Amino acid sequence: MEGRFDNFRPRLDEYCRGIKIGAVMWENKGQNIFRSDRRAISFGGGSVCIFRDEGHAEENSRLMTAGSFEEFDHTADAGIRARGDTLAEMLIAAAHGMLQLMFSGVPESPARPEAPAESGDATRHSTAAVHEHSVAAEADDAEQLLHAWLSELLFRLTVDRSVPVGFDVEECTPQRIRVRMASVPMDERMAGAATEIKAVTWHGLRAEHTLDGWIGEVIFDT
Amino acid sequence: MDIQIRQLDDTTWEIPKTGGMRVPGRVYASRKMMERIRADKSLEQVANVAHLPGIVKYSLAMPDIHWGYGFPIGGVCATDAEDGVISPGGVGYDINCGVRLLATNLKADDVQPRIRHLVKELFDNVPTGVGASKAIPKLSRKDLEKVAVQGARWAAEHGFGSTAQLDFIEEHGCIADADPSAVDERPWQRGADQLGTLGSGNHFLEIGRIDEVFHPDAARVFGLEPDGIVILIHCGSRGFGYQICDDYLKVTQQATKKYNISIPDRQLACAPITSGEGQAYLGAMRCAANYAFANRQVIMHLTEQAVMKALDISDHEAGIRPIYDICHNIAKFETHDVDGARRRVCMHRKGATRAFGPGSEHIPEAYRSIGQPVLIPGDMGRYSYLTVGTDRAMHETFGSSCHGAGRHMSRKKALAASKGRDMIQELRDRGVEIQATGKRTIAEEMPHAYKDVSDVVNVMHDAGIALKVAKFRPIGVIKG
């Protein structure tokens, strides 16, 4: 697999072998949230990594900035509050929040078999599952962009039946975002166990640049 | 916004017409329920709906009211068919989310010993979450358009049940004048492989035991006896409907500005019914409604197959048949008596159910002496109800009633409250066998996250809007 995420292939492969609910690549300032030996994902409000094309993983980890998200209360549905130093970080954090809502209830399943050793590249079997694609969204302002971006992601996820595992933001302004993504197929078990998000609502929608960076709030109809 | 409300009688409250409200608000609730209702923004939403142009008589709310998007869940409003507006928020994302109640020939004693096996069989056959349909391979655009226009009839004519069952569905399982050309590209993509799927969240398929009969005459008409087994299916129009609503919220947001409609909340975005935008939404919404009717028709068939296999019985022995199928998120044209004159209105019911009284030509002939069945699912641990519509409902609520229990605890709080608890075992201890792939969903849908549906149903009964017929206890549930 040649592509934007080649530099992260070893880590991607490690995750892919253990994928149960999609491997979301997180690094929380050096502390892995995804632990491949547990073969499980734990989604939680945490830092989000934005990958760059150049350099290798250790150096890129120093480029990480602290986007984060948390869930907030809403009687019938689910709300996410996302933060980031930049608009891009906030939007990616919001995306991770949406993924958490969808997939955090998926239980672990038995480990997948290892790739055959004689393949010459033990990772080939698993990385074949990862495909790269671009997602873009446009809007009149940052608030509408938050809605458009998450709606686009939701649409792609449900129609393509794939789970994003990596995000590389190529362009981000309050009117447009373009992201190169790595995604893995959503298998039947994962699909069946996912919490369906019907829509990104306009209710309480917020995207604001404050003294502490960007903050976004969105409520999903579940 | 501090909402003034005054009590009219034990079950009825009024929000007086003030400010930009065109009509008063009317809420059905007990005094105890009203304390809770006041705590969120639902009353404000009832008052906001009263601002809509062309609204007739009052902005209504049923006792299961809770905070929604623009319109409260449990909200009902009628707008004049000529001068009024239509609002996608008054229908909801899950267009024609509704309930189908099935009667069977089975008794609780037949089923209880094999309930775990039956639940597993159902779970294996009816996809949940965002899973794709097992019953129907991905439909072509052409076939999807037929589903959108024909509704449940399409399913019945393609091997899922029979056309004789269509009489026992609201609107005979198809709302006329659906317009596939009003549906954009994305809904077709989202809906292509979801016919025959349940979804997740508060959607479910439940095996219930008839626990109590309140109205023996009605129960006899519907074919129900104590300890009999019924089946409830709760789901809607899947991604097809969600995407249509999403698309038209944007259209009506623009239309609200274009037609200079003043609304207190942007989620009440609307368009004049007679405008191009209004007609387009109606055409698209009907497509989604018909998809949902077809969906429940397919799931009914899958349910029948699972029951026959799990219990090793024939279809004749199972005797599965629809009692009725109702919408609880819909907008459609009806004619009602308003101040002594017959008036055609666009009924918006969002988390509310049609409840037509005896004699109505719109209900099956077999039921006209009794009234329209109104299916009120509760939470998965307690009970559900069958009620019937009344003449009083026709006069007071445009023939509308509540739709379910309504949440009173947020999903986050429900998750927190379930930490460290084995919810599956707790439900088993209550006599409910559940299978769900999502642990999160079980926790979020825990019984105490919901109001007690008995309270809701009793208000409707005491108000004379929908009379209790029977109560069912769940013994088996599948959820996404």
Side-chain angles (χ1 to χ4, degrees):
Chain A
M1 168 188 98
E2 291 293 328
R4 190 67 56 79
F5 294 90
D6 277 3
N7 289 331
F8 302 94
R9 182 180 283 208
R11 183 59 61 70
L12 257 176
D13 291 343
E14 188 184 319
Y15 293 161
C16 288
R17 259 199 295 279
I19 284 172
K20 306 306 164 220
I21 48 175
V24 178
M25 294 188 285
W26 315 54
E27 297 278 343
N28 187 4
K29 298 195 192 301
Q31 180 194 349
N32 292 346
I33 291 179
F34 177 82
R35 294 179 180 80
S36 62
D37 59 333
R38 284 178 57 197
R39 297 182 183 280
I41 281 281
S42 61
F43 283 83
S47 295
V48 170
C49 149
I50 296 180
F51 295 94
R52 299 288 178 264
D53 203 11
E54 58 283 346
H56 50 74
E58 287 74 28
E59 280 183 8
N60 279 336
S61 71
R62 287 198 287 276
L63 294 175
M64 284 185 297
T65 47
S68 65
F69 69 85
E70 59 190 350
E71 290 184 39
F72 66 83
D73 257 353
H74 184 275
T75 311
D77 293 295
I80 287 289
R81 183 175 298 115
R83 298 174 202 271
D85 289 345
T86 65
L87 176 59
E89 286 163 28
M90 183 273 278
L91 291 174
I92 299 299
H96 280 292
M98 188 172 79
L99 293 172
Q100 161 157 302
L101 289 175
M102 288 191 73
F103 295 108
S104 62
V106 176
E108 291 185 40
S109 74
R112 291 187 182 188
E114 296 290 332
E118 67 272 20
S119 69
D121 176 1
T123 65
R124 187 175 300 148
H125 169 78
S126 46
T127 51
V130 179
H131 68 278
E132 287 192 23
H133 57 119
S134 287
V135 174
E138 293 184 348
D140 290 341
D141 56 39
E143 190 175 276
Q144 292 187 38
L145 187 66
L146 174 60
H147 187 280
W149 155 240
L150 293 175
S151 296
E152 183 66 25
L153 206 57
L154 179 65
F155 176 76
R156 287 261 61 93
L157 193 157
T158 50
V159 168
D160 297 343
R161 297 197 181 281
S162 63
V163 183
V165 297
F167 299 85
D168 185 2
V169 179
E170 294 178 324
E171 179 190 347
C172 187
T173 69
Q175 287 77 38
R176 180 174 163 81
I177 183 168
R178 192 176 73 245
V179 179
R180 188 80 180 149
M181 289 176 29
S183 295
V184 293
M186 196 192 317
D187 64 24
E188 190 180 305
R189 189 194 58 88
M190 204 189 299
T195 295
E196 186 178 47
I197 286 181
K198 295 185 176 102
V200 182
T201 77
W202 294 92
H203 193 74
L205 187 69
R206 179 182 169 212
E208 219 176 292
H209 192 210
T210 70
L211 290 173
D212 296 319
W214 280 88
I215 182 164
E217 289 180 354
V218 57
I219 294 172
F220 300 98
D221 188 328
T222 56
Chain B
M1 188 175 166
D2 188 25
I3 300 291
Q4 298 301 313
I5 190 157
R6 64 189 183 97
Q7 191 163 12
L8 299 179
D9 59 38
D10 287 342
T11 54
T12 326
W13 305 71
E14 184 176 90
I15 301 173
K17 188 173 100 151
T18 53
M21 290 169 70
R22 296 168 192 260
V23 292
R26 177 165 283 199
V27 182
Y28 287 85
S30 63
R31 183 179 283 275
K32 190 173 159 202
M33 289 169 126
M34 183 52 73
E35 287 167 18
R36 223 173 212 164
I37 290 168
R38 279 186 190 273
D40 72 16
K41 292 185 186 171
S42 0
L43 292 182
E44 188 179 323
Q45 292 189 323
V46 176
N48 286 344
V49 168
H51 288 67
L52 289 176
I55 187 166
V56 174
K57 211 162 170 188
Y58 26 53
S59 164
L60 277 159
M62 299 296 126
D64 46 351
I65 180 180
H66 60 266
W67 183 25
Y69 308 128
F71 281 67
I73 312 291
V76 175
C77 94
T79 53
D80 186 85
E82 297 300 317
D83 302 328
V85 296
I86 177 131
S87 174
V91 174
Y93 283 102
D94 196 356
I95 297 168
N96 194 6
C97 186
V99 182
R100 182 174 288 210
L101 176 67
L102 308 178
T104 73
N105 288 346
L106 304 168
K107 289 287 192 190
D109 290 345
D110 301 326
V111 172
Q112 195 72 59
R114 309 216 66 200
I115 189 66
R116 202 175 282 199
H117 183 58
L118 173 55
V119 166
K120 183 176 184 313
E121 196 63 44
L122 285 165
F123 187 77
D124 288 344
N125 279 283
V126 184
T128 55
V130 297
S133 180
K134 291 181 179 179
I136 302 176
K138 207 161 178 171
L139 283 169
S140 67
R141 172 68 173 261
K142 200 169 150 199
D143 281 333
L144 266 174
E145 290 189 6
K146 286 181 186 166
V147 173
V149 169
Q150 297 170 17
R153 175 170 293 279
W154 181 92
E157 288 177 352
H158 283 77
F160 301 101
S162 74
T163 52
Q165 295 165 337
L166 300 179
D167 274 349
F168 298 94
I169 308 175
E170 189 173 335
E171 303 289 332
H172 301 276
C174 176
I175 301 185
D177 300 324
D179 181 7
S181 72
V183 177
D184 209 351
E185 191 51 41
R186 291 201 156 191
W188 303 110
Q189 292 181 50
R190 268 182 94 171
D193 61 0
Q194 292 196 325
L195 206 57
T197 66
L198 208 57
S200 67
N202 64 2
H203 294 169
F204 63 82
L205 200 163
E206 177 181 298
I207 312 289
R209 169 193 192 134
I210 298 167
D211 196 51
E212 196 172 345
V213 172
F214 304 98
H215 191 330
D217 291 341
R220 198 165 32 251
V221 167
F222 300 138
L224 301 176
E225 298 176 358
D227 290 329
I229 291 292
V230 294
I231 301 172
L232 283 95
I233 300 167
H234 176 220
C235 62
S237 50
R238 314 294 292 101
F240 186 62
Y242 315 155
Q243 193 67 46
I244 286 174
C245 176
D246 202 35
D247 292 347
Y248 274 93
L249 280 171
K250 296 185 195 99
V251 167
T252 45
Q253 277 166 12
Q254 298 303 315
T256 305
K257 291 179 205 159
K258 177 178 167 186
Y259 296 104
N260 289 318
I261 302 171
S262 168
I263 43 172
D265 177 351
R266 78 170 159 187
Q267 299 237 75
L268 290 173
C270 53
I273 286 167
T274 53
S275 68
E277 294 91 338
Q279 289 295 304
Y281 171 67
L282 277 163
M285 184 215 48
R286 289 161 180 153
C287 289
N290 293 339
Y291 184 104
F293 284 131
N295 194 29
R296 291 197 286 274
Q297 185 72 15
V298 173
I299 291 176
M300 181 184 76
H301 176 79
L302 297 177
T303 300
E304 184 185 43
Q305 300 289 298
V307 167
M308 284 162 56
K309 188 174 173 196
L311 302 182
D312 194 21
I313 55 177
S314 67
D315 56 353
H316 183 73
E317 286 167 317
I320 289 176
R321 60 204 180 273
I323 292 176
Y324 210 55
D325 177 317
I326 49 93
C327 319
H328 59 230
N329 279 2
I330 201 73
K332 51 193 176 112
F333 292 97
E334 294 173 359
T335 302
H336 287 276
D337 284 328
V338 179
D339 300 329
R342 300 289 285 165
R343 198 154 166 195
R344 192 157 174 267
V345 292
C346 181
M347 288 308 307
H348 296 70
R349 294 188 181 100
K350 180 176 166 180
T353 308
R354 194 185 76 176
F356 279 5
S360 171
E361 60 179 342
H362 299 285
I363 63 180
E365 200 176 330
Y367 298 165
R368 280 183 203 158
S369 62
I370 295 292
Q372 181 212 304
V374 183
L375 320 171
I376 313 292
D379 60 74
M380 61 187 176
R382 287 184 280 195
Y383 20 68
S384 300
Y385 281 84
L386 173 62
T387 65
V388 277
T390 62
D391 282 335
R392 193 149 172 195
M394 301 305 286
H395 290 122
E396 287 193 21
T397 62
F398 298 102
S400 309
S401 178
C402 62
H403 84 303
R407 291 189 73 96
H408 67 85
M409 191 190 285
S410 73
R411 293 181 183 277
K412 196 164 172 238
K413 285 198 174 95
L415 275 172
S418 73
K419 262 197 167 57
R421 290 164 69 176
D422 183 346
M423 296 306 307
I424 292 179
Q425 190 55 50
E426 283 189 28
L427 284 162
R428 237 177 229 146
D429 292 342
R430 287 177 185 240
V432 183
E433 184 64 34
I434 183 168
Q435 192 156 355
T437 43
K439 283 186 212 161
R440 185 179 172 127
T441 298
I442 297 178
E444 289 175 349
E445 296 293 311
M446 63 190 290
H448 292 289
Y450 282 86
K451 299 177 191 178
D452 186 336
V453 74
S454 291
D455 293 340
V456 172
V457 165
N458 284 336
V459 168
M460 294 276 87
H461 181 92
D462 294 342
I465 300 296
L467 303 178
K468 293 190 290 192
V469 173
K471 181 165 88 176
F472 319 123
R473 283 198 183 272
I475 62 171
V477 178
I478 71 163
K479 286 193 72 65

